[in-house]
Amino acid sequence: MTSGLDERQLVEGLRQNDRNALAAIYDRFSALAYGLALKLLSSPPEAEDVVQESFLALWRQAERIDPERGLRSYLLSIVHNRCVDRVRHRIRHPEAVLEPEAPIAATSDDPETQAIAMLEGEALRTALTALSNDQRQTVDFVYFKGFTINETANRMKVPLGTVKSRLRLAMGRLRQELDP
């Protein structure tokens, strides 16, 4: 049973190619990963694809995970980067719309999963209030609006190193606020 394991144990399980560890990680973080992907992509099918690709990447990159930084932040970084890649691809390769109106996608999440995702979203919103305005704005540009660090520096009219420092400090503070 891997559901009661802490993140360090789950990372160790991933490194040993334990599928149960991956399943436990998926159970624990898939709603959060999907929520981030959906926020950035505004497309449920694309968000599902990104989450699947991200967990596969996590499985393949298990040796790179630093247990000190946290499994959640590593996974969400993968999700964020893959979403940014998708948005950039959309911009470079626009597709012709074949249907004038796309059908509305039905959500298949059970009420428990939706409730957990809502609570995690609320916890993140609360944690964001602990950041300074500059840190919050930097996180917003990079993680929620999908800008690169360079683009964020240009938009905020600050040096690249300042943006990197703000992100590092903000992620550390968010990690503190969100740790159970």
Side-chain angles (χ1 to χ4, degrees):
M1 184 107 192
T2 55
S3 62
L5 298 178
D6 67 21
E7 287 188 22
R8 287 179 186 276
Q9 293 167 316
L10 291 173
V11 168
E12 190 55 39
L14 270 184
R15 289 180 177 163
Q16 295 173 4
N17 292 326
D18 181 358
R19 292 174 189 248
N20 292 327
L22 181 63
I25 292 166
Y26 184 85
D27 290 344
R28 193 175 293 180
F29 298 116
S30 62
L32 187 61
Y34 178 75
L36 175 61
L38 186 60
K39 170 108 172 127
L40 294 174
L41 297 172
S42 301
S43 166
E46 275 191 298
E48 290 170 6
D49 289 346
V50 163
V51 169
Q52 181 178 358
E53 292 167 11
S54 297
F55 276 95
L56 184 58
L58 186 73
W59 175 260
R60 290 180 178 158
Q61 299 172 12
E63 292 302 319
R64 294 184 191 171
I65 302 170
D66 178 3
E68 295 300 317
R69 295 202 53 189
L71 188 55
R72 173 194 291 200
S73 58
Y74 190 82
L75 174 63
L76 293 180
S77 293
I78 293 172
V79 171
H80 175 262
N81 292 335
R82 291 189 181 262
C83 288
V84 169
D85 290 344
R86 290 237 178 182
V87 169
R88 287 182 183 149
H89 181 77
R90 277 188 210 159
I91 292 169
R92 278 184 250 136
H93 307 288
E95 295 181 12
V97 177
L98 299 178
E99 299 177 38
E101 295 180 59
I104 297 174
T107 60
S108 60
D109 289 341
D110 60 84
E112 180 183 9
T113 302
Q114 288 177 346
I116 290 170
M118 229 170 59
L119 289 173
E120 287 176 341
E122 185 58 38
L124 180 59
R125 282 188 288 282
T126 301
L128 285 169
T129 63
L131 301 178
S132 71
N133 286 337
D134 289 335
Q135 290 174 344
R136 191 171 30 255
Q137 185 180 20
T138 304
V139 168
D140 184 52
F141 276 133
V142 174
Y143 285 96
F144 297 117
K145 293 182 178 165
F147 293 114
T148 65
I149 294 174
N150 286 331
E151 292 167 337
T152 301
N154 289 337
R155 286 182 176 272
M156 296 180 76
K157 297 179 179 27
V158 296
L160 183 63
T162 301
V163 171
K164 289 179 180 180
S165 294
R166 286 177 184 169
L167 274 179
R168 183 180 51 78
L169 292 170
M171 291 299 113
R173 182 63 190 259
L174 289 174
R175 200 173 299 114
Q176 281 179 329
E177 295 290 324
L178 293 171
D179 261 350

